[in-house]
Amino acid sequence: MTVVVPGSGHIAAGRRGVGWFAVTVWLAALGGGGYLLWKFRTDRAEVLGWFTDTDVLLLARAGIVALAVLWVALFIDAWRLGSPFQLNFTRAALITVLNLAIIGGVAGSTAYASQLIKVSRDTVKVVFSETKTSAPLQGRYNILLLGSDARKDRTGVRPDSMTVASIDTDTGKVVLVSLPRNLQNVPFSEGSPLQAVYPNGFNCGSECLLNAVYVTAEGRPDLYPRSKQPGLDATIEAVQGVTDLKINYYVMVNLNGFKGLVDAVGGVTMDVKARIAMFGQEDAYKNVYIEPGKQNLDGQKALWYARSRVGSDDYDRMGRQKCLMAAMVEQLSPQTVLLNATKIAKSGKELLSTNIPAKELGQFADLALKSRGEKIRTVSIVPPKFDTVVPDFPAIQTAVQTAIDKSESTAPVKRDDKDTSGRPANQTDDLKAVC
């Protein structure tokens, strides 16, 4: 009876004061939960936001522990009220073992839930520490996803992967706009300090590629006196200049830390179209490959799938990166996240940095769930459609806006077969269909 309705066993045994107190607390908890469920039944973003609110998480942790302690005390007292010492040995032993098992289950579950809440709360505090919010523009959030590749043999951070995820705030429909690292002559958005230095675009020769903007700005802190990350700010300004999209937030992904995330969720299933080298030019002797076919990739293989250029090029891997994003969106179900929350939280601290504030996480979690059932469109600034040396930026901006307009349209999606580059994931109306 104490398992089903805490306190009911005490009432039956004559301990009405304790029993009715426990029943009242139990019914209040159920009633409170039912009220919240009814009140916020149509506001999923608000409910999801509770799971990332550090104050709510702290309160929930304290409440779970307090209720568990009271419940355990009831079990112990219920065992006492059962007068086990007046029973024969077998029945007394059975009741005692059963009671201990129940207490152990409650204590273990509480300890796990408490640890899960603690890890989640710590991760939110560390990773999502910013407080400034950015309102969507024309009903869309534009988030810049950067893949950082800071290694000991490289000077500064050179983001080798740059993708703008433009998300409709009502439907969760996503358009991925990918920019190659070797894009030249990039313009800077209005008001950028580097716009005054490079009024005709970042045109200082073949070394002035898009991914070099970061290092260039880091070397000119005088242009960004109030910025903690001038390289990041300048890169955002360059991306805005190229796409004509206002960037709301950024997410900087550590490509090595990405392995931890994939491993934390048990790998990612991919349909590998062609043999992919798991080595670079300097360690070709390894001669290890990811073979073609549908398979589950662990973190190491997923990283090579996204980064390998041996036997391919920048544009091939840009297409693979988008396929990997689509697979992660499709496969990271709420159940998977919940069951692997501790591992994901641990990898998250190593994986990314962002200026998305914690108060926005509920909104983006809701958009992520909406997007799982929607087709993902892609636009990539790659040959043959676009020249990366002398880019036609008005044409690029038109292509981006056209993809967004098509995404917001309610007309049936037709498969786009116009791309003849052999990299269909880079230009498509349905990313999943070509991956």
Side-chain angles (χ1 to χ4, degrees):
M1 293 179 73
T2 304
V3 170
V4 178
V5 180
S8 60
H10 284 69
I11 294 174
R15 291 289 303 276
R16 296 183 179 277
V18 173
W20 280 114
F21 173 78
V23 169
T24 302
V25 172
W26 176 247
L27 292 178
L30 290 179
Y35 171 75
L36 291 175
L37 186 63
W38 175 80
K39 182 175 177 60
F40 296 98
R41 64 191 183 282
T42 59
D43 194 349
R44 185 170 60 180
E46 177 72 19
V47 175
L48 291 170
W50 297 341
F51 292 92
T52 53
D53 186 310
T54 54
D55 293 332
V56 172
L57 289 174
L58 181 61
L59 183 62
R61 189 184 184 200
I64 287 174
V65 172
L67 288 175
V69 169
L70 290 174
W71 207 4
V72 167
L74 285 175
F75 283 125
I76 295 173
D77 199 40
W79 173 81
R80 181 185 64 80
L81 291 174
S83 305
F85 297 114
Q86 296 179 15
L87 304 175
N88 63 47
F89 177 79
T90 301
R91 295 183 65 185
L94 178 61
I95 291 175
T96 301
V97 170
L98 178 61
N99 195 272
L100 289 174
I102 293 172
I103 291 173
V106 171
S109 300
T110 302
Y112 176 77
S114 177
Q115 178 62 18
L116 188 63
I117 292 173
K118 179 182 183 301
V119 171
S120 300
R121 186 171 182 269
D122 290 346
T123 301
V124 170
K125 290 177 67 176
V126 172
V127 179
F128 302 95
S129 58
E130 295 291 336
T131 57
K132 184 178 179 181
T133 59
S134 177
L137 184 64
Q138 296 180 342
R140 302 191 74 85
Y141 280 112
N142 298 312
I143 304 173
L144 177 59
L145 310 175
L146 298 161
S148 69
D149 191 19
R151 302 195 305 259
K152 293 180 180 179
D153 61 340
R154 303 188 69 168
T155 303
V157 174
R158 288 178 179 261
D160 283 350
S161 174
M162 285 165 277
T163 300
V164 178
S166 183
I167 309 169
D168 188 293
T169 56
D170 292 326
T171 65
K173 292 181 178 179
V174 178
V175 176
L176 296 178
V177 182
S178 295
L179 294 82
R181 68 185 183 92
N182 61 341
L183 191 64
Q184 297 187 35
N185 302 303
V186 296
F188 295 94
S189 57
E190 194 68 32
S192 167
L194 281 177
Q195 188 185 49
V197 181
Y198 301 100
N200 299 314
F202 197 42
N203 60 348
C204 49
S206 59
E207 292 298 314
C208 283
L209 309 178
L210 176 57
N211 75 333
V213 170
Y214 198 109
V215 175
T216 300
E218 289 291 323
R220 293 294 307 272
D222 56 305
L223 297 177
Y224 296 85
R226 297 181 180 179
S227 174
K228 297 178 182 179
Q229 297 177 288
L232 179 59
D233 290 343
T235 300
I236 290 174
E237 292 161 357
V239 170
Q240 290 180 152
V242 172
T243 63
D244 198 30
L245 295 177
K246 174 67 176 178
I247 301 299
N248 295 96
Y249 300 109
Y250 77 88
V251 176
M252 177 81 79
V253 178
N254 180 320
L255 294 182
N256 286 319
F258 174 73
K259 293 188 295 184
L261 174 63
V262 175
D263 286 334
V265 297
V268 57
T269 299
M270 300 297 303
D271 185 4
V272 181
K273 303 294 186 182
R275 205 182 196 201
I276 298 173
M278 291 183 64
F279 53 82
Q281 299 290 353
E282 298 178 356
D283 54 358
Y285 63 88
K286 292 182 178 179
N287 200 34
V288 179
Y289 294 86
I290 302 172
E291 299 297 338
K294 192 171 183 178
Q295 56 195 285
N296 186 268
L297 305 181
D298 61 15
Q300 181 71 6
K301 288 184 177 180
L303 184 60
W304 277 109
Y305 178 89
R307 300 199 59 211
S308 181
R309 284 190 292 167
V310 172
S312 58
D313 57 24
D314 280 334
Y315 312 128
D316 286 324
R317 76 173 183 176
M318 286 172 66
R320 294 198 305 269
Q321 287 168 359
K322 283 188 280 293
C323 286
L324 189 58
M325 290 182 198
M328 295 290 278
V329 168
E330 185 72 20
Q331 297 172 35
L332 277 181
S333 66
Q335 294 88 341
T336 301
V337 173
L338 181 61
L339 292 174
N340 299 279
T342 301
K343 294 179 182 177
I344 293 173
K346 182 179 179 182
S347 68
K349 295 179 183 179
E350 304 169 353
L351 173 69
L352 58 86
S353 60
T354 180
N355 64 342
I356 297 177
K359 65 176 66 175
E360 292 278 66
L361 292 180
Q363 169 80 356
F364 284 116
D366 184 47
L367 289 176
L369 291 176
K370 288 180 180 178
S371 70
R372 294 186 70 220
E374 300 290 347
K375 291 178 173 61
I376 298 175
R377 287 174 169 79
T378 66
V379 177
S380 299
I381 317 305
V382 300
K385 189 170 184 178
F386 299 104
D387 190 337
T388 58
V389 178
V390 187
D392 184 345
F393 291 108
I396 290 172
Q397 293 167 5
T398 298
V400 171
Q401 189 57 51
T402 298
I404 290 175
D405 291 342
K406 289 172 68 176
S407 175
E408 293 178 343
S409 172
T410 56
V413 174
K414 296 180 180 180
R415 181 164 174 177
D416 186 356
D417 293 317
K418 296 180 181 180
D419 185 85
T420 59
S421 66
R423 310 176 183 102
N426 281 328
Q427 315 284 352
T428 182
D429 287 338
D430 187 353
L431 182 58
K432 183 181 178 182
V434 300
C435 286

